[in-house]
């Protein structure tokens, strides 16, 4: 009987732990505050050369046009709650994009210039929006630093930890489940837009071609694989998505960036 009781206790404890692991203890308001502080830290770092929005107004119009199409798909849960700030970092040597909690998205000029179509970039943006909308970042950061440490940052304490989080955000690795979830959500978001719903698959295919050479920064946090591409394509087919996208805007977007 003791053994049976012990086994039952362990199963219940494991179940409770699993449930708690899926619960995000941050409120939406605190998540936005954390994102604001992380964004300020990212933008104050001299290594991150944020493009001036007035000087490069056309580039920002293109990026926000793509972002707004996704946000207005009717599928983004926190469309109205999160601020959804989008900034461009001028660095042609980095093929990356990342999102801070609360929807603060940063895209490097390198990845914009590297991609071939607007569908591919829309896939990247949808994937990053999914990480924020599904609250993957605060889930991961809570596991890494603990809820108390993140709460201190929200309350304006522990500047050193804030700097550490901001610097590590580019290299923040998501779990396989989070990555699969973001891939699937990107299809759901894009299916209701003018873009190819499997835009992320085209992006990862292009990234896979580069893996034999020097792996892009994006691959260190978002590992690409043939199975991942197949899963994205299968999800798009299953939803019977159609697209009406025109690629003429993408070259204009590239031309609007600094040389």
């Amino acid at each position: 009987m003791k053994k049976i009781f012990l086994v039952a206790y362990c199963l219940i404890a494991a179940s409770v732990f699993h449930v708690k692991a899926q619960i995000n203890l941050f409120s939406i308001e605190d998540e936005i505050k954390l994102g604001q502080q992380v964004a300020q830290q990212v933008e104050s770092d001299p290594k991150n050369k944020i493009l001036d929005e007035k000087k490069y107004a056309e580039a920002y119009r293109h990026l926000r046009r793509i972002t707004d199409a996704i946000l207005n798909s009717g599928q983004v849960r926190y469309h109205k709650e999160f601020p959804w700030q989008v900034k461009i970092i001028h660095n042609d040597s980095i093929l990356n994009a990342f999102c801070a909690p609360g929807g603060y998205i940063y895209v490097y000029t390198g990845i914009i210039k590297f991609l071939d179509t607007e569908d591919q970039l829309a896939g990247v943006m949808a994937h990053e929006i999914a990480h924020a909308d599904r609250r993957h970042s605060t889930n991961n950061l809570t596991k890494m630093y603990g809820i108390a440490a993140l709460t201190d940052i929200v309350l304006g304490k522990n500047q050193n930890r804030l700097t550490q989080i901001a610097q590590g955000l580019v290299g923040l690795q998501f779990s396989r489940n989070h990555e699969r979830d973001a891939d699937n959500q990107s299809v759901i978001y894009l299916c209701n837009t003018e873009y190819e719903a499997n835009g992320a698959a085209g992006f990862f295919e292009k990234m896979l071609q580069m893996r034999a050479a020097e792996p892009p920064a994006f691959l260190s946090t978002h590992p690409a694989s043939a199975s991942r591409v197949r899963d994205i394509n299968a999800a798009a087919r299953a939803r019977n998505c159609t697209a009406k996208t025109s690629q003429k805007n993408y070259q204009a977007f590239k031309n609007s960036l600094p040389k």
Side-chain angles (χ1 to χ4, degrees), residues 1-64:
M1 285 296 292
K2 287 183 178 180
K3 288 184 178 179
I4 293 174
F5 176 80
L6 181 60
V7 170
Y9 176 82
C10 290
L11 288 173
I12 292 170
S15 176
V16 170
F17 176 81
H18 177 74
V19 170
K20 285 186 176 180
Q22 304 304 311
I23 296 174
N24 193 318
L25 299 177
F26 254 56
S27 69
I28 294 300
E29 292 75 17
D30 284 343
E31 184 148 349
I32 293 171
K33 289 178 183 177
L34 175 64
Q36 288 172 340
Q37 295 195 47
V38 172
Q40 289 171 4
Q41 190 67 34
V42 168
E43 293 173 33
S44 65
D45 188 333
K47 296 196 297 290
N48 298 324
K49 299 177 181 178
I50 307 294
L51 287 190
D52 182 84
E53 296 193 41
K54 291 183 178 179
K55 185 176 180 180
Y56 295 96
E58 184 181 352
Y60 276 99
R61 276 197 299 271
H62 283 293
L63 186 59
R64 291 197 172 114

Side-chain angles (χ1 to χ4, degrees), residues 14 32 63 76 78 89 92 96 99 106 112 123 140 164 205 230 239:
I32 293 171
L63 186 59
V76 180
Y78 296 108
I89 299 178
D92 289 352
N96 208 352
C99 188
Y106 296 88
I112 298 171
N140 269 19
Q164 185 180 12
E205 283 177 333
R230 285 196 301 270
R239 298 184 72 85

Side-chain angles (χ1 to χ4, degrees), residues 206-216 219 223-226:
K206 190 166 177 66
M207 284 295 195
L208 281 169
Q209 294 169 7
M210 287 195 65
R211 191 162 60 181
E214 183 179 353
L219 291 187
S225 68

Side-chain angles (χ1 to χ4, degrees), residues 60-231:
Y60 276 99
R61 276 197 299 271
H62 283 293
L63 186 59
R64 291 197 172 114
R65 172 176 53 78
I66 297 169
T67 306
D68 288 346
I70 300 166
L71 294 175
N72 292 325
S73 66
Q75 300 297 323
V76 180
R77 179 176 183 181
Y78 296 108
H79 171 208
K80 294 183 178 180
E81 288 85 350
F82 287 170
W84 299 111
Q85 170 187 287
V86 186
K87 295 290 181 72
I88 303 172
I89 299 178
H90 184 197
N91 191 324
D92 289 352
S93 66
I94 296 181
L95 308 183
N96 208 352
F98 63 93
C99 188
Y104 295 85
I105 307 171
Y106 296 88
V107 186
Y108 287 86
T109 54
I111 198 167
I112 298 171
K113 294 180 179 181
F114 169 73
L115 296 176
D116 300 320
T117 69
E118 199 164 290
D119 291 317
Q120 292 171 351
L121 183 61
V124 172
M125 298 303 295
H127 184 97
E128 293 304 323
I129 286 172
H131 277 315
D133 192 43
R134 307 287 281 183
R135 307 183 70 192
H136 295 160
S137 293
T138 43
N139 271 309
N140 269 19
L141 291 172
T142 300
K143 290 176 184 176
M144 291 173 65
Y145 299 104
I147 189 70
L150 297 187
T151 301
D152 280 349
I153 292 173
V154 170
L155 296 174
K157 304 175 184 178
N158 204 337
Q159 182 68 28
N160 290 336
R161 183 58 56 82
L162 174 61
T163 302
Q164 185 180 12
I165 289 174
Q167 291 174 342
L169 197 62
V170 180
L172 181 63
Q173 291 185 314
F174 294 99
S175 69
R176 289 183 180 180
N177 286 340
H178 283 170
E179 284 296 285
R180 280 193 294 265
D181 187 47
D183 287 347
N184 189 61
Q185 286 298 124
S186 75
V187 172
I188 293 172
Y189 296 158
L190 293 180
C191 195
N192 286 351
T193 70
E194 63 180 333
Y195 299 111
E196 294 282 357
N198 63 343
F203 160 72
F204 281 118
E205 283 177 333
K206 190 166 177 66
M207 284 295 195
L208 281 169
Q209 294 169 7
M210 287 195 65
R211 191 162 60 181
E214 183 179 353
F218 201 95
L219 291 187
S220 66
T221 53
H222 303 73
S225 68
S227 62
R228 191 168 184 176
V229 171
R230 285 196 301 270
D231 288 345

